[in-house]
Amino acid sequence: MARILQVQDPETIRVAVEALRRGEPVAMPTETVYGLAADATHPAAITAIYEAKGRPRFNPLIAHVSDIEMARAHALFSPLAERLAQAFWPGPLTLVLPLKTDGGIHELATAGLATVGLRVPQGFARTLISAFGRPLAAPSANRSGRISPTSAGHVAEDLKDRIDLVLDGGPCKVGVESTIIAVDGDKLTLLRPGGVPVEAIEEAAHGKVRRNESGETGIIAPGMMRSHYAPEAKLRLNAVDVRPGEALLQFGAEPLSGEEQASWARNLSPAGDLREAASNLFSFLKQADGNTKAGIAVAPIPLEGLGEAINDRLSRAAAPRD
């Protein structure tokens, strides 16, 4: 079982940096979800991430950096990319940018692509990257395709003895992964909705964000596989009733027919607050999965704002398993 260290302990940074320098993956808290971090410039360290997660090698990893200066050393920034970085970093926005060939991020982290996803996280993760001095590849700290972890306990439960060190920073504030935007000159394409609403990005960019609805770009960023974030139980989305034995994920104050038949029930946000719902999503989904054999009924959730990210995660969790 992995050792769990509290981020408030001043020794934690030293222990974590030493593990990273040995090429070991470390589970670290971010404002979005817990990430499984390792040196993005070291092929053996990146391989250790893939092995711990059981992740396909064709699925690229986000490289987390401490600031925009570190990001510029590894990718080419257009004026529009600079504007978005200044507006949303540190924070839950990943920019997919042209990769600098002499930047040092290994092709295993980019799945051999000519682009790289970069993000500056908030809080402890940013401090750890700064202390380490190099980018950290850090997908969610769970087995590939499973529900993303929003607490240290989730990480330890899912990965067990696959890793040695989990850094406990408490529950994640945002609760869903970062928004991923591909920047091609002055064009923006949404690859994955997430913790920054698209409307906020369009306001900062002074332009529209194109949706990658047809999937014509292929898998060029994390979270683009059809089946992802999946519990064991089957999900029934936009449910207006509850069937006997189903677990229920409610949203808002409107009751669903047959609620009394649920084996377990939680409300993502009784007040209909999408930010609260996002922060509760993965934690409640994990709990629901452990309290039903009949499936999980999920009440309708609006598509605006963070609702786009929530519905994206739920639709991938409900997709047929590949």
Side-chain angles (χ1 to χ4, degrees):
M1 198 70 169
R3 183 168 45 140
I4 299 178
L5 300 181
Q6 301 298 315
V7 301
Q8 297 87 351
D9 186 336
E11 277 290 289
T12 295
I13 285 282
R14 181 188 63 79
V15 173
V17 168
E18 287 180 355
L20 292 168
R21 286 176 179 161
R22 292 193 299 268
E24 299 173 6
V26 171
M28 68 177 185
T30 78
E31 75 276 27
T32 57
V33 299
Y34 275 69
L36 187 58
D39 187 348
T41 70
H42 194 300
I46 298 163
T47 298
I49 292 176
Y50 284 119
E51 290 175 344
K53 286 179 64 67
R55 183 186 179 99
R57 295 327 197 249
F58 60 78
N59 199 355
L61 306 175
I62 293 171
H64 293 68
V65 293
S66 58
D67 50 38
I68 194 168
E69 286 75 21
M70 185 182 285
R72 289 193 194 108
H74 299 281
L76 299 171
F77 278 74
S78 67
L80 181 54
E82 286 273 354
R83 187 188 311 162
L84 293 179
Q86 295 291 349
F88 296 106
W89 283 357
L93 176 67
T94 294
L95 298 176
V96 175
L97 305 170
L99 181 68
K100 278 188 175 179
T101 55
D102 60 349
I105 292 177
H106 197 273
E107 63 181 6
L108 279 175
T110 64
L113 298 171
T115 56
V116 62
L118 293 171
R119 181 168 97 84
V120 179
Q122 297 172 356
F124 176 84
R126 188 182 185 196
T127 302
L128 178 59
I129 299 163
S130 181
F132 183 58
R134 291 193 292 276
L136 292 178
S140 56
N142 56 282
R143 286 178 289 159
S144 185
R146 299 297 301 276
I147 302 169
S148 298
T150 54
S151 72
H154 293 164
V155 177
E157 176 187 352
D158 194 24
L159 292 181
K160 297 184 172 64
D161 58 356
R162 295 181 178 210
I163 60 172
D164 293 329
L165 188 60
V166 178
L167 311 179
D168 188 352
C172 298
K173 179 176 66 175
V174 175
V176 293
E177 295 85 353
S178 61
T179 303
I180 302 180
I181 296 286
V183 186
D184 181 9
D186 61 355
K187 297 178 182 178
L188 302 178
T189 301
L190 176 69
L191 302 181
R192 180 182 73 184
V196 177
V198 172
E199 295 88 341
I201 295 168
E202 291 178 331
E203 182 177 355
H206 309 304
K208 298 297 289 182
V209 174
R210 173 178 172 270
R211 261 67 170 182
N212 181 38
E213 293 175 345
S214 64
E216 69 272 17
T217 58
I219 295 176
I220 63 171
M224 295 182 71
M225 297 178 71
R226 182 178 62 155
S227 177
H228 206 54
Y229 317 108
E232 296 290 341
K234 290 185 178 180
L235 268 69
R236 190 163 61 88
L237 305 184
N238 298 309
V240 296
D241 61 358
V242 182
R243 298 167 185 171
E246 284 186 318
L248 169 62
L249 286 182
Q250 178 60 289
F251 176 81
E254 190 69 26
L256 268 64
S257 173
E259 281 188 2
E260 70 282 355
Q261 302 182 93
S263 61
W264 176 96
R266 291 290 186 280
N267 197 319
L268 291 166
S269 175
D273 183 330
L274 290 168
R275 191 171 298 276
E276 180 184 18
S279 68
N280 286 330
L281 177 63
F282 288 135
S283 176
F284 285 7
L285 199 54
K286 272 185 169 290
Q287 293 177 53
D289 197 29
N291 284 279
T292 182
K293 294 182 179 178
I296 303 170
V298 184
I301 296 171
L303 274 168
E304 70 266 12
L306 282 177
E308 184 174 7
I310 295 169
N311 280 285
D312 172 80
R313 302 310 188 274
L314 288 170
S315 65
R316 294 181 192 275
R321 312 298 160 83
D322 295 329

